[in-house]
Amino acid sequence: MQSPKVLIGQGAEAKIYACNFLGRPTIVKERFKKTYRHPSLDSTLTLARTKAEVRCMTRCRTHGIRTPVVYFVDMENHAIYMEHLVNWVTVKDFIIRFQAGDKSLLALLPLAEKIGGAVGLMHSHGLIHGDLTTSNMLLSGASEDFELVFIDFGLGSIEGSPEDKAVDLYVLEKALLSTHPSTEPVLEAILNSYFKVRAKDSKEVTRKLDEVRMRGRKRTMVG
């Protein structure tokens, strides 16, 4: 049924394993205990985060936004068994290699438009990713014939407010510009595509995004 799990990574909240589950390549995300929290509180919070992550992934797929398929959820051990997308590349690595080749940023605009449209669709259904970085997007294919997958909804939530959506966009903006210098045209294309999808409340989200940016600049100035 399941091959031995092999540890392939660890973050602040969970360990990531690879294995075969029911004959399929599988990623297992297993949240670990936080010893600084009371055991019962830790169990309650960890269970809630696990449920929220699975719910976000499932609802994204329902609305046409690709995420890894969830195969099984072990609530007792706070572990999510999901599709292992072998040979896919993160958008982060794709852009880094692209820029190293000294190519025109215009070639990245189709990708930017796809990212913006997908995030806009996500937000239109009240889904918040919580950590929108280029490391949490996977890419397969070439040119304009590619597929985009969002991963790691560990900080995700449902029924997000305009403020939540603005924070999501701000995280993406900061991550893109800090990790990939001189990609302002890519960011502009992402936001243009996003607001085409989010026309319904674009003014409110834009206003909140400006407020979030201002708070971010103030924190930077204060240090």
Side-chain angles (χ1 to χ4, degrees):
M1 181 179 177
Q2 177 185 325
S3 65
K5 296 185 297 184
V6 177
L7 182 67
I8 61 173
Q10 179 173 330
E13 299 287 331
K15 292 182 178 180
I16 308 299
Y17 299 91
C19 69
N20 275 310
F21 180 74
L22 298 177
R24 294 172 290 196
T26 300
I27 289 292
V28 182
K29 179 175 182 178
E30 187 172 317
R31 284 182 166 82
F32 44 75
K33 295 179 181 179
K34 298 294 185 66
T35 55
Y36 60 83
R37 291 196 296 224
H38 188 280
S40 61
L41 175 61
D42 180 68
S43 180
T44 299
L45 292 176
T46 304
L47 180 60
R49 291 302 327 147
T50 301
K51 288 181 176 179
E53 181 166 7
V54 172
R55 194 176 296 119
C56 284
M57 293 171 67
T58 303
R59 291 199 183 183
C60 275
R61 292 186 64 84
T62 298
H63 297 299
I65 304 152
R66 186 161 178 194
T67 65
V69 177
V70 175
Y71 297 142
F72 174 69
V73 183
D74 180 350
M75 292 298 185
E76 183 177 352
N77 294 304
H78 310 301
I80 305 171
Y81 289 66
M82 67 189 86
E83 177 184 12
H84 187 180
L85 296 165
V86 182
N87 297 327
W88 287 57
V89 63
T90 64
V91 170
K92 175 183 177 179
D93 289 342
F94 178 83
I95 295 177
I96 288 173
R97 289 204 295 262
F98 182 92
Q99 290 186 302
D102 199 28
K103 300 176 184 177
S104 170
L105 285 178
L106 291 176
L108 286 177
L109 296 188
L111 172 60
E113 291 168 1
K114 190 150 191 170
I115 292 171
V119 176
L121 183 59
M122 196 184 299
H123 285 181
S124 71
H125 293 288
L127 300 167
I128 304 299
H129 184 280
D131 191 17
L132 273 176
T133 69
T134 52
S135 294
N136 287 333
M137 304 174 199
L138 300 180
L139 195 61
S140 177
S143 187
E144 296 182 17
D145 183 27
F146 56 77
E147 291 186 82
L148 182 68
V149 174
F150 291 85
I151 62 172
D152 195 357
F153 285 77
L155 298 175
S157 61
I158 295 173
E159 303 302 334
S161 66
E163 171 92 5
D164 296 327
K165 296 166 187 175
V167 171
D168 236 11
L169 291 176
Y170 182 69
V171 169
L172 175 56
E173 178 179 299
K174 293 290 288 185
L176 180 69
L177 297 181
S178 61
T179 308
H180 312 288
S182 305
T183 52
E184 286 81 4
V186 176
L187 174 63
E188 183 178 1
I190 289 174
L191 294 177
N192 287 340
S193 181
Y194 173 89
F195 284 114
K196 284 180 182 178
V197 176
R198 297 295 302 134
K200 181 178 179 181
D201 62 352
S202 60
K203 289 184 179 179
E204 179 66 10
V205 174
T206 299
R207 184 176 68 81
K208 289 294 184 181
L209 179 56
D210 288 339
E211 292 178 3
V212 173
R213 284 169 173 159
M214 183 63 69
R215 293 201 298 267
R217 283 195 291 268
K218 287 181 178 178
R219 283 196 294 269
T220 301
M221 292 171 64
V222 171

